[in-house]
Amino acid sequence: MSDRSALLSPCGLRWGAAFVVTLLTSTAAHAQVVQAEPLVPIAPVVPAAASPREAQITLQLVIDTSGAVESALESSRLPADTPDAFVVAAVDAAKAVRFAPSTRDGRAIRSRIEYVVVFHAPPVGAPAPSSSVPVPPPAVPLPVPNAPIASIAPIAPAPRGEPKETVDVRGKAWASPRGLGDIRVDRETLTASPRQQTSEMLSAAPGFFVDHEDGEGLGNDVYLRGFDLDNGSGIEMKVGEVPINIPLHIHGQGYADANFIIPEVVRSIRVLEGPYDPRQGDSAIVGSALFDLGVAERGYELRTTYGSFNQARVVGIAAPEQANDETFAAFSLRETQGFGEDRAAKSASINAQYGTDLGDRDHLRVLATAYAATAALPGVVRQDDLNAGRIGYYDAYPTFNSYYPANCAPNNASCVQPAQGVSSARVILESELDHTLEGGGNVEVAPWLMWTNFLSRQNYTGSLNSSNLQPALNSLGDLWQLTNVETAGGITGRFHAPPMHFGKFVEVAVEPGVSIRVGHTEQGKDLVNPADLEPWDYRTRYGLDTLDLAG
């Protein structure tokens, strides 16, 4: 082959299915969640030793299935110099009131809500109320400032003495939006345009285009803000607090493959289009994609689909109704023959997560995932061979795409293995502890461990290579083999202080934090013989220790 010949890659076509048939339907229905509301307005008593004043005390209330208040904790106070006596009075008033419990599909559930207890100053010239007389201003439940924008319902004015409409505030608290480039793709949007692979879900966000040139096991190519990001390099990806990007991957620095995440358990995706948030990592060259996992539709589900190119997929989800949205276990199996020769692929993934309250102030979330995938790759074909009709556009050169194992007879086609292909695996363990402080604010600590294994073999150049080790050796082809095995661990810690208010329009919040990632990588880049896949020339063999520290 001549390296001057034009090369074509038939891998650039997107995978498609002409039809999909659902064989097993879900046993879970769309969950209708109604948030708890007090049966009577909460009437706090003005503290006897305090002067009447305007004050708002935001409380986190845990309501059990009978409507009783299990716990009430201060989340914030306004103004910031409001005496502690008002907080005590607000907590006492909230605990004395019975609630209509939150419900999911009409069934009472234990829930956590935020409620704002309001103290009103008496009108000018009016006598101060006695401490024994309760003041009956409305207790106003408000949306959490850090709640997803898409989940915040409009709050209409309510008559005096009645609470305003509330919204569901369950789930992970994200940072408040930082501009037009801070976007949250909610579950409703993801369901409206389903995808079989998680990376392709990013296409639902403005400015994103995601393609998949190859089969399972390789990260998608991502286009964002005009940047062409090969295999996700250049965009930070996280699941929970675990960074998906691998800093020094043999396939490219910052390599990211998010397809181990099962699309059906993605509760939302926060997209930051730009590197402007100080919490972003060093892979956020053009932006970030943060995956939040959870299953709102509780129940047990098993579904399977079949489509063109013999694509078959089975998904199972277990989401017990008595557990919260964070708790689930799911598996996914997928197999396809691809849209041409040597494009078969298969994968298996398991995602499990558990969330629970350890007490009034502590919440624990634990995540575990396991993933394995393999796919055949067709490599490249020469333009002159295609023009002369010696090979088809969807064909592949057999010299580079099959070999006979040592124990395989030459005439036994059933045991021929693809010489070009990719295989990958990933295991993740993560836990996150969120502690709410007495004076407001919270502390988050999230340690994690991750192991990844990657191997690819492909004819990238279409030209012949000589040996660096033995220059006199006749070339055995240009089949490259890339390997990358990494074991990594890290921890993220963050303290979010209660916001401080200066006047009516200025709010300042302090959030110091630290992130640590350590890893060890074994990687190689070799030329291998297509006949037996044995290396005949070594180009790269490294053992690398990495340390990332950010504050």
Side-chain angles (χ1 to χ4, degrees):
M1 294 184 183
S2 171
D3 54 7
R4 298 188 213 175
S5 298
L7 302 173
L8 301 178
S9 175
C11 311
L13 298 181
R14 302 193 65 184
W15 293 36
F19 60 93
V20 174
V21 181
T22 301
L23 302 181
L24 294 177
T25 58
S26 169
T27 60
H30 182 69
Q32 298 294 328
V33 179
V34 178
Q35 186 171 288
E37 292 186 357
L39 298 177
V40 295
I42 296 178
V45 177
V46 177
S51 300
R53 61 185 293 176
E54 292 280 348
Q56 296 182 9
I57 309 299
T58 303
L59 302 176
Q60 283 194 7
L61 305 178
V62 176
I63 314 297
D64 65 16
T65 56
S66 68
V69 179
E70 289 187 8
S71 66
L73 299 175
E74 177 197 1
S75 177
S76 64
R77 66 182 77 178
L78 186 67
D81 61 351
T82 301
D84 292 340
F86 281 81
V87 178
V88 175
V91 170
D92 291 341
K95 289 185 175 181
V97 172
R98 199 78 175 182
F99 280 70
S102 300
T103 61
R104 180 187 288 115
D105 294 332
R107 179 179 177 181
I109 59 174
R110 183 173 180 265
S111 63
R112 184 194 303 272
I113 66 172
E114 286 218 345
Y115 215 90
V116 179
V117 179
V118 181
F119 294 85
H120 285 280
V124 178
S130 168
S131 61
S132 61
V133 179
V135 180
V140 186
L142 296 177
V144 189
N146 289 341
I149 297 176
S151 69
I152 297 179
I155 300 180
R160 182 177 179 83
E162 297 181 6
K164 294 182 180 179
E165 182 183 355
T166 63
V167 298
D168 185 12
V169 299
R170 295 181 63 85
K172 182 176 178 63
W174 297 85
S176 56
R178 297 185 174 234
L180 296 177
D182 190 346
I183 303 158
R184 174 173 295 278
V185 184
D186 59 14
R187 182 67 246 180
E188 183 178 357
T189 303
L190 297 174
T191 302
S193 181
R195 275 93 170 174
Q196 290 198 23
Q197 293 185 309
T198 304
S199 294
E200 295 175 348
M201 301 173 81
L202 295 174
S203 296
F208 265 96
F209 175 75
V210 181
D211 197 0
H212 208 178
E213 293 186 352
D214 300 302
E216 299 280 359
L218 276 173
N220 296 66
D221 291 335
V222 183
Y223 302 82
L224 173 62
R225 300 172 54 228
F227 290 85
D228 180 357
L229 307 173
D230 187 25
N231 299 122
S233 302
I235 175 170
E236 176 193 33
M237 296 188 189
K238 281 187 174 182
V239 54
E241 292 293 335
V242 182
I244 298 174
N245 304 79
I246 300 177
L248 296 179
H249 196 278
I250 191 68
H251 214 280
Q253 294 186 7
Y255 176 91
D257 180 8
N259 291 316
F260 68 92
I261 304 173
I262 299 174
E264 286 81 359
V265 302
V266 176
R267 181 164 52 182
S268 65
I269 306 174
R270 184 188 179 195
V271 173
L272 296 172
E273 298 188 353
Y276 313 116
D277 192 315
R279 284 164 287 202
Q280 292 176 278
D282 56 2
S283 296
I285 297 174
V286 298
S288 300
L290 313 175
F291 295 89
D292 177 34
L293 305 189
V295 177
E297 299 178 6
R298 311 305 292 175
Y300 298 88
E301 180 179 1
L302 179 64
R303 70 172 68 160
T304 182
T305 57
Y306 180 81
S308 56
F309 309 115
N310 290 325
Q311 291 194 67
R313 184 167 182 261
V314 179
V315 178
I317 302 175
E321 294 185 1
Q322 65 274 17
N324 60 32
D325 292 357
E326 289 182 333
T327 302
F328 65 87
F331 74 90
S332 172
L333 304 174
R334 183 171 180 264
E335 185 172 9
T336 178
Q337 291 302 311
F339 51 83
E341 185 179 349
D342 289 311
R343 291 167 178 85
K346 55 185 176 181
S347 66
S349 184
I350 298 174
N351 295 175
Q353 185 171 264
Y354 176 69
T356 184
D357 290 328
L358 301 180
D360 292 342
R361 301 182 183 275
D362 297 299
H363 181 77
L364 176 67
R365 180 182 59 83
V366 179
L367 171 68
T369 71
Y371 170 76
T374 182
L377 299 177
V380 297
V381 297
R382 288 166 51 112
Q383 176 104 42
D384 55 350
D385 286 343
L386 178 65
N387 294 340
R390 290 187 291 269
I391 193 170
Y393 185 78
Y394 297 100
D395 297 336
Y397 293 117
T399 304
F400 293 102
N401 284 274
S402 61
Y403 79 101
Y404 292 93
N407 57 351
C408 182
N411 59 353
N412 185 0
S414 63
C415 65
V416 175
Q417 301 295 321
Q420 294 194 103
V422 61
S423 63
S424 65
R426 183 189 298 257
V427 176
I428 291 177
L429 295 174
E430 182 217 11
S431 64
E432 181 179 358
L433 179 64
D434 190 337
H435 175 70
T436 303
L437 303 176
E438 290 188 9
N442 66 296
V443 177
E444 296 179 14
V445 179
W448 56 269
L449 294 172
M450 180 171 61
W451 174 82
T452 59
N453 189 350
F454 176 87
L455 182 147
S456 70
R457 290 189 298 267
Q458 193 168 8
N459 168 26
Y460 290 99
T461 64
S463 60
L464 299 178
N465 287 270
S466 60
S467 174
N468 283 351
L469 300 178
Q470 305 176 64
L473 179 66
N474 292 330
S475 175
L476 297 178
D478 54 358
L479 184 58
W480 289 99
Q481 176 174 280
L482 307 181
T483 59
N484 199 99
V485 181
E486 185 194 48
T487 302
I491 186 169
T492 298
R494 182 184 300 117
F495 166 65
H496 189 88
M500 298 175 288
H501 299 83
F502 301 92
K504 294 183 178 180
F505 305 105
V506 179
E507 177 182 290
V508 177
V510 180
E511 187 181 300
V514 63
S515 175
I516 302 174
R517 185 190 195 279
V518 295
H520 177 76
T521 304
E522 295 289 338
Q523 59 184 215
K525 182 177 182 181
D526 310 320
L527 283 163
V528 298
N529 187 346
D532 54 13
L533 300 185
E534 289 297 325
W536 62 272
D537 192 45
Y538 302 97
R539 297 298 174 90
T540 299
R541 287 291 179 95
Y542 290 129
L544 304 171
D545 293 316
T546 59
L547 170 63
D548 293 338
L549 176 62

